[in-house]
Amino acid sequence: MKPYLKRAWAEVSLRQLRKNIAVIRGLCDPATEIMAVVKADAYGHGYDRVCECLAHECGIKYFAVSNLDEAIAVRKLCPGAEILILGYTPPEYAHEISENNIIQGVVSMEYAEALCKNSPDKVRCHIKIDTGMGRIGLRYASPAECAAEAARICGIEGLSAEGIYTHFAVADSDDPDNIEYTDRQEKFITDTYDELVKLGIKLPHMHFMNSAATCYRNNSRSTLARAGIIIYGLHPDISLDIPEGLEPVMELKAVISQVKTVPAGVCISYGRTFTTDREMRIATVTIGYADGYSRLLSSKGEILVRGKRCRIVGRVCMDQLMIDVTDVPEAASGDIVTLIGRDGDDRITADELASVYGTIGYEVVCGISKRVPRIYFD
Ligand SMILES: *Cc1c(COP(=O)(O)O)cnc(C)c1O
């Protein structure tokens, strides 16, 4: 038996990852380079193998992460890469940013000054502009005021400002009101860049495209496309199709440990939330909420067994769950089942699973826990 075929595991297709990158390159203007967003352990896919594949096989030069630890991990794997930290780094650690040649997102004058105080070498940065996300960055009523503040930050000695960027809040929507909102965000950042040019500051980078913008509103003025979820083949929003060729990279599998036939009136799992109403065949599966398979899928989720959908019955436990295999008479102990992925003609995606319990595919893949080994296929 293969060493990973033990209990629950995730299969990651590096071949599909490469295909997705090729599709994304095709979407982008030649002036726009992909910045691969690999925060949160490459959205749960495992940053080491993913970064290796992206850097060495796909020729990706730019990476984005959420924090310093992730940045240093990516630096070890990709010595020549440009790595941007999107989130907060405590200023006390600024020397580690510069030592590792990492680029920090800077959200204010005070933050920029604090970083410089804590680093003997110049700190490289991109300045974050809040154009409507309401999360982090410089927030001003007009591009001219925003550019004036950005220019003051660029003037700090000890800082090397190399770009400005912003983040869209609703680029994954086709609602006209939301499209207009994103139009305004886009205009604000490009106008801010142009105002900076008027002040004599021509930064090498301006970027505002995320996955949704890369799919639905490409713009050659964005020097980078900060693509996250579409690299992994999932939807920014399940209600909008993504371009042809983008397919999920990860599958989630487990094993049937036991199958039993029970009469009507038998309670299944904690809380007695499910009772058989007839004779049924119940299979126990070796995965649970401690693996990141949400308890919110209790009596709701479906799992593929021998290519057929089987419903979860009763509550998802920490390490196990039960399914109804009455309609799959061949189901047997030792069968490999598919929680996310393809089996025969059917498939269950992380996006579909997410919609069953009211979240997004992002949370499903990021939530698959450390206990689940990632297995890589080419
Ligand atoms: C996470 C993140 C992205 C990537 O978003 P996707 O929707 O996964 O493409 C891009 N930019 C910033 C600032 C982010 O935080």
Side-chain angles (χ1 to χ4, degrees):
M1 185 182 246
K2 299 214 172 91
Y4 59 86
L5 299 181
K6 280 180 182 149
R7 203 185 74 83
W9 64 93
E11 298 181 359
V12 176
S13 166
L14 297 173
R15 176 195 301 255
Q16 188 59 49
L17 182 68
R18 291 195 300 270
K19 279 191 194 160
N20 290 347
I21 292 293
V23 171
I24 297 166
R25 282 217 169 95
L27 298 170
C28 291
D29 186 275
T32 306
E33 280 211 60
I34 299 174
M35 172 176 261
V37 182
V38 294
K39 61 194 180 191
D41 205 18
Y43 290 43
H45 292 64
Y47 72 85
D48 43 358
R49 292 296 295 275
V50 166
C51 289
E52 239 168 52
C53 177
L54 292 175
H56 303 133
E57 293 179 54
C58 306
I60 295 287
K61 225 173 85 192
Y62 295 92
F63 291 85
V65 297
S66 81
N67 64 57
L68 182 59
D69 288 345
E70 291 179 350
I72 291 173
V74 175
R75 168 58 71 227
K76 290 197 173 118
L77 295 161
C78 314
E82 296 286 24
I83 304 164
L84 172 65
I85 299 179
L86 300 166
Y88 179 70
T89 304
E92 298 75 41
Y93 291 92
H95 63 101
E96 290 196 38
I97 298 174
S98 50
E99 274 161 24
N100 290 284
N101 192 27
I102 286 159
I103 305 167
Q104 172 65 48
V106 154
V107 299
S108 70
M109 184 79 178
E110 301 73 56
Y111 183 60
E113 284 173 335
L115 286 174
C116 293
K117 257 197 216 112
N118 287 280
S119 171
D121 303 309
K122 277 202 181 218
V123 180
R124 300 175 66 197
C125 80
H126 287 191
I127 301 168
K128 180 72 187 286
I129 316 291
D130 179 5
T131 59
M133 175 68 184
R135 191 165 66 178
I136 48 172
L138 309 186
R139 185 149 192 143
Y140 284 92
S142 73
E145 290 165 90
C146 191
E149 180 70 357
R152 281 191 285 275
I153 294 174
C154 291
I156 299 176
E157 209 178 327
L159 202 70
S160 167
E162 299 168 14
I164 60 168
Y165 69 110
T166 196
H167 194 43
F168 289 152
V170 281
D172 60 350
S173 164
D174 61 356
D175 171 81
D177 198 43
N178 285 334
I179 291 173
E180 204 192 306
Y181 191 90
T182 311
D183 289 342
R184 281 202 300 273
Q185 283 197 269
E186 192 177 79
K187 183 163 172 17
F188 196 103
I189 189 79
T190 52
D191 285 355
T192 300
Y193 186 87
D194 295 341
E195 291 289 336
L196 272 170
V197 173
K198 283 190 209 158
L199 297 171
I201 298 169
K202 197 163 183 301
L203 299 171
H205 283 289
M206 162 173 62
H207 47 105
F208 45 81
M209 280 160 57
N210 56 3
S211 287
T214 305
C215 292
Y216 312 123
R217 47 181 308 140
N218 240 281
N219 184 325
S220 60
R221 291 208 63 189
S222 190
T223 59
L224 302 171
R226 299 189 312 266
I229 201 73
I230 53 171
I231 289 182
Y232 312 102
L234 298 178
H235 291 62
D237 184 293
I238 197 173
S239 67
L240 289 186
D241 286 340
I242 52 177
E244 179 91 22
L246 294 173
E247 294 288 341
V249 166
M250 189 184 348
E251 301 199 334
L252 180 63
K253 307 216 169 151
V255 175
I256 291 180
S257 57
Q258 185 181 7
V259 181
K260 53 185 181 278
T261 301
V262 296
V266 168
C267 298
I268 305 292
S269 198
Y270 288 120
R272 298 173 59 205
T273 60
F274 182 86
T275 306
T276 56
D277 56 0
R278 64 203 146 90
E279 184 178 278
M280 289 175 84
R281 270 165 53 82
I282 303 291
T284 303
V285 176
T286 56
I287 194 166
Y289 62 77
D291 301 294
Y293 193 84
S294 178
R295 188 169 172 278
L296 297 170
L297 290 160
S298 296
S299 289
K300 280 189 185 160
E302 290 177 326
I303 290 175
L304 295 173
V305 181
R306 297 183 182 238
K308 289 199 191 113
R309 279 177 186 252
C310 298
R311 189 168 57 107
I312 294 174
V313 288
R315 288 195 180 145
V316 173
C317 309
M318 188 183 288
D319 317 308
Q320 308 178 69
L321 57 82
M322 277 64 80
I323 54 176
D324 173 8
V325 292
T326 309
D327 296 333
V328 191
E330 329 81 71
S333 167
D335 280 4
I336 293 174
V337 302
T338 303
L339 298 106
I340 297 172
R342 195 179 284 285
D343 182 8
D345 295 332
D346 206 347
R347 82 167 175 179
I348 295 170
T349 64
D351 288 324
E352 179 198 329
L353 211 56
S355 69
V356 172
Y357 66 104
T359 185
I360 51 177
Y362 295 71
E363 189 176 7
V364 170
V365 287
C366 290
I368 295 171
S369 71
K370 273 218 158 61
R371 180 164 86 176
V372 177
R374 272 65 168 174
I375 314 299
Y376 298 87
F377 291 90
D378 206 46

